[in-house]
Amino acid sequence: MAAEISARISAFVEALPLKPGFRVLEIGCGPGVAARAVAKRIGGGFVLAIDRSEKAIRLARAGSADEIASACVDFRCVAIEDFALSSGDALFDIAFAMRVGALDGRHPEAGRAALTRIRAALKPGGRLFVDGGDPLKEIDLVGGLTS
């Protein structure tokens, strides 16, 4: 059964500049709550949600059977520092992360590796959003992590 969405996650997802048909990369998806909410907002689009935790991915898949069956959401167990597009994957329009240490300044070396991987996965002009703003902030993909 899919988990209820918290007010924090709902506000974050609602603030994302999403459009129908977008391809979205979620970094650190946990049980998949935000991925499912994003999928509802991008009718005809696709969300790839990743997490380094096998347990989180198992929970996300278990709670997202309908979305997986309709091919609007998929999950992969991988850390963002190690993420690479699979053969045949299209680039993403937007990437986002909530409470991910590699992107919130807690782990600077991992953050540099993560930004390299994210840049490679995004279309030209693609955008990266993280929590910590009101309710989100955009990371400058040219300049790197902001303070």
Side-chain angles (χ1 to χ4, degrees):
M1 172 146 241
E4 293 281 328
I5 188 165
S6 71
R8 178 184 64 83
I9 294 172
S10 180
F12 185 96
V13 169
E14 287 302 314
L16 287 169
L18 299 171
K19 295 180 182 174
F22 262 20
R23 288 183 51 81
V24 178
L25 174 64
E26 181 183 7
I27 303 155
C29 67
V33 175
R36 290 187 293 273
V38 167
K40 288 178 185 172
R41 289 199 49 216
I42 57 166
F46 175 76
V47 179
L48 176 61
I50 67 170
D51 200 293
R52 68 178 65 240
S53 164
E54 289 181 19
K55 180 180 180 183
I57 294 299
R58 280 195 307 273
L59 290 170
R61 286 180 178 144
S64 305
D66 291 342
E67 292 84 359
I68 292 169
S70 66
C72 64
V73 173
D74 196 12
F75 298 94
R76 290 189 198 158
C77 185
V78 62
I80 188 56
E81 313 85 273
D82 301 320
F83 177 74
L85 294 172
S86 295
S87 178
D89 279 351
L91 296 172
F92 294 92
D93 298 286
I94 282 183
F96 75 93
M98 289 181 278
R99 296 186 178 169
V100 173
L103 296 172
D104 66 9
R106 287 182 281 165
H107 306 287
E109 187 173 319
R112 287 186 289 279
L115 288 177
T116 297
R117 298 297 182 141
I118 293 164
R119 281 186 205 101
L122 290 173
K123 293 178 180 176
R127 301 168 73 187
L128 170 61
F129 296 90
V130 298
D131 54 342
D134 187 20
L136 53 78
K137 65 181 176 181
E138 185 167 5
I139 298 289
D140 176 0
L141 289 170
V142 176
L145 292 173
T146 59
S147 56

